[in-house]
Amino acid sequence: MFEQKEYCGEDFSDALILEDCLEGMTFVRCRFQDADFARIRMERCRFERCAFEGAKFCGAEIRGSAFLNCSFEFADCMSAEFTDCKMTGSDFTNTRLKLIRIGPGDWSYTVLSGADFSGLQLQEVSFRGADLARVNFSKTRLRCDFTTANLNGASFREADLRGSRLQGINVFEVDWKKAVIDLEQAVTLAEAFGARLG
C-alpha cells in the first residue's frame, strides 16, 4: 500500500493496512480515520499532526515510534503495545485503552482524561503536563513522572506509586486510599497539606 517513505497531507481514511510491518516511515498531517492497523508491527515511524479518529490498533506492536500532536478520538487501542514511543501532545479522548501496554515512553502533554489504567504496570512513563483528569490508576504499579499533570478526580486507590514523581500536582482532588508511597512522596504530600517535618 505504501510505496514511499514519506507522506504529507494524504488521506488514508478507511484503509485496511495490509503490511505486516511498517518501518522507518514518516507521515505529516495525514488522515487515517477508521483505518485498520490491527495486529500490525510498527518500528521507528513518525506521525505528526495526523488524525486517527476511529482507527483500529487492536493487538498492534508499536516500538520506537513517535505520534506528535495526533488525534486518537474514538480509536480502539485494546491490547496494543507502545514501547519506547513518544506521544507528546496527542489526544486520546474516548479512546478504548483496555489492556494497553505502555512504557517506557514519553506521554507528556497528552489528553487521557477518563482512561481506565487499573491493574496495569506503567514503568518509566512520562505523563508530565498531561491531562489525566478522572483516570483510574487503581491497583496499578507505577513508576512515572506526573510532574504538573492534571490529576483532578484521578484514583490511585491501592496503587503502588513508589519511584514516581508527583511535583506540581493538585493533591487534594485525588483518591489516595491505600496507595503505597515512598518517603519522598510522603514529604511532598505532607507539605501540600501544610505539614512540616520536625
Side-chain angles (χ1 to χ4, degrees):
M1 176 177 178
F2 299 113
E3 298 178 355
Q4 305 167 206
K5 280 293 187 179
E6 297 186 11
Y7 291 88
C8 182
E10 298 287 338
D11 190 347
F12 299 103
S13 296
D14 298 306
L16 174 60
I17 311 301
L18 297 174
E19 283 82 355
D20 292 328
C21 180
L22 293 181
E23 186 173 353
M25 301 190 69
T26 299
F27 299 87
V28 178
R29 295 190 304 279
C30 292
R31 293 195 58 78
F32 295 93
Q33 185 172 1
D34 296 316
D36 191 345
F37 291 90
R39 293 174 297 282
I40 198 169
R41 288 184 299 113
M42 189 182 298
E43 297 184 7
R44 300 187 308 281
C45 290
R46 184 179 182 88
F47 299 85
E48 296 183 33
R49 298 186 297 282
C50 293
F52 295 95
E53 288 94 343
K56 299 175 182 65
F57 287 89
C58 309
E61 297 180 14
I62 302 172
R63 301 176 183 275
S65 296
F67 295 81
L68 309 178
N69 299 299
C70 295
S71 172
F72 290 83
E73 189 167 6
F74 294 107
D76 188 347
C77 295
M78 181 176 177
S79 299
E81 177 183 342
F82 292 86
T83 304
D84 293 318
C85 290
K86 186 178 181 68
M87 314 298 288
T88 308
S90 290
D91 187 344
F92 292 85
T93 302
N94 297 314
T95 302
R96 188 181 187 203
L97 299 170
K98 188 174 179 64
L99 302 178
I100 194 171
R101 288 164 288 171
I102 296 174
D106 186 354
W107 291 64
S108 300
Y109 305 101
T110 53
V111 178
L112 290 156
S113 52
D116 185 0
F117 291 140
S118 59
L120 301 181
Q121 289 203 29
L122 302 177
Q123 305 291 307
E124 305 301 333
V125 180
S126 174
F127 290 114
R128 181 179 289 262
D131 183 356
L132 304 174
R134 306 179 311 284
V135 171
N136 183 6
F137 291 108
S138 62
K139 297 183 179 179
T140 300
R141 174 68 181 97
L142 299 153
R143 190 164 68 243
C144 303
D145 184 356
F146 293 103
T147 302
T148 67
N150 173 18
L151 288 162
N152 290 351
S155 174
F156 289 113
R157 185 176 290 240
E158 298 183 58
D160 186 343
L161 285 150
R162 289 173 293 182
S164 294
R165 296 178 58 85
L166 303 174
Q167 284 74 17
I169 66 170
N170 180 1
V171 302
F172 301 103
E173 300 297 327
V174 178
D175 181 359
W176 301 101
K177 189 171 183 180
K178 295 186 179 179
V180 179
I181 59 176
D182 58 30
L183 180 59
E184 182 178 345
Q185 294 164 345
V187 171
T188 298
L189 294 177
E191 289 175 345
F193 282 100
R196 293 185 300 172
L197 292 178

